[in-house]
Amino acid sequence: GGGRLLDSIRKWYYNAAGFNKLGLMRDDTLHEDDDVKEALKRLPEHLYNERVFRIKRALDLSLKHQILPKDQWVKYEEVGHGMFPSYLEPYLKEVIRERQEREAWNKK
């Protein structure tokens, strides 16, 4: 029932957003605030390099008004719980937790 409907809506939204057609992952599209910038600094080099490659390729495709062949799109089923989990989330959670601790400490 309801779980399947919610998953269907999420899948529709994911595909409608279109970043997967450029080979981007959701984490590649996050607004780079101070927390995200700090999390990016903590990424292992290979993950950071893969991110840079995906973003450069997407910019190139966008400038050419092209998308990747469909077999190269990042599929919804592979993201988050499959082959491509959120690569930045663990680092971002740590950065946010540390910032909140600092803020709480500074209030004392």
Side-chain angles (χ1 to χ4, degrees):
R4 253 188 306 194
L5 176 63
L6 188 57
D7 197 52
S8 295
I9 292 169
R10 285 184 182 135
K11 184 175 182 176
W12 173 86
Y13 179 79
Y14 175 85
N15 287 317
F19 56 80
N20 63 320
K21 297 172 186 169
L22 297 173
L24 293 173
M25 299 166 80
R26 184 184 57 85
D27 287 358
D28 298 334
T29 66
L30 292 175
H31 172 70
E32 289 190 23
D33 61 16
D34 290 340
D35 291 337
V36 171
K37 287 178 185 175
E38 180 59 34
L40 288 171
K41 290 179 188 175
R42 298 181 185 194
L43 277 178
E45 187 175 2
H46 75 280
L47 289 178
Y48 182 80
N49 290 340
E50 290 168 6
R51 172 189 166 88
V52 169
F53 170 79
R54 286 190 303 272
I55 291 172
K56 284 184 176 182
R57 178 180 60 187
L59 286 171
D60 185 55
L61 287 166
S62 183
L63 287 171
K64 295 175 182 176
H65 301 285
Q66 297 176 345
I67 59 173
L68 289 171
K70 192 165 187 169
D71 65 336
Q72 294 180 34
W73 294 2
V74 180
K75 294 166 191 62
Y76 174 79
E77 293 78 13
E78 298 170 338
V79 179
H81 50 279
M83 290 173 48
F84 302 112
S86 172
Y87 65 89
L88 194 58
E89 186 176 1
Y91 302 94
L92 187 55
K93 281 183 176 178
E94 181 179 282
V95 167
I96 292 169
R97 182 185 52 76
E98 289 171 4
R99 177 178 48 77
Q100 289 171 339
E101 284 177 8
R102 270 193 314 277
E103 290 169 354
W105 178 259
N106 290 334
K107 285 181 182 176
K108 291 182 181 180

